[in-house]
Amino acid sequence: MKNIICISTGSVYKIEEDMNKKLELLKQFPCDGIELNFAFARDLKDFSINQNNLEFLRQKRITIHAPWKDISYGRNPNCKETLDTLRKLYTQLNAELVNVHQHEEADLSVFNDYDLNVTVENDDWKRGLRTPEEVIRVLEQHPNFGFTYDFAHAYSISPPLTIAF
């Protein structure tokens, strides 16, 4: 079995704000895939990939981290506009999945209206899905979702348990 190594644009968010420039930075790393990480819905909506980066990404395993900062997932205009934009980028890049965070107020069933392969991700120490039981509960509510394990988030909760994994 080959281990697939992917890197997220979230790893360079303190260096560069522009997504196309983040991708340029990540090109120097030999990896199998890229996660386009959009913290804010406005950044996703404003993003237009340049041709050079489009060609680069089409050679990689692509995932998209859905916004989590300025959005409430549910049946509302901002969510609809965001998910419409997300689906367009997902299709354009032939992405493998969209990764989301479950927040208490979120209605993730809205993703069922879109033809997307969705995964839910464990959270860090600050909020959300921190325990296996919490993750299982969300996956039982959304049996069509997969799970993305974020090592850094788990490490922020319990380094000894994460390292034991």
Side-chain angles (χ1 to χ4, degrees), residues 31 39 61 85 88 105 109 117 124 127 137 139 156 158:
C31 62
R61 178 184 191 266
T85 304
K88 182 178 175 185
E105 70 281 356
S109 69
N117 183 21
D124 61 17
R127 67 174 155 217
R137 179 183 44 80
L139 293 175
S156 77
S158 175

Side-chain angles (χ1 to χ4, degrees), residues 7 26 45 63 90 98 100 104 106 137 140 156 158 161:
I7 191 166
L26 296 184
K45 293 176 199 175
T63 64
Y90 178 92
V98 171
V100 299
E104 289 180 23
R137 179 183 44 80
E140 286 175 345
S156 77
S158 175
L161 288 177

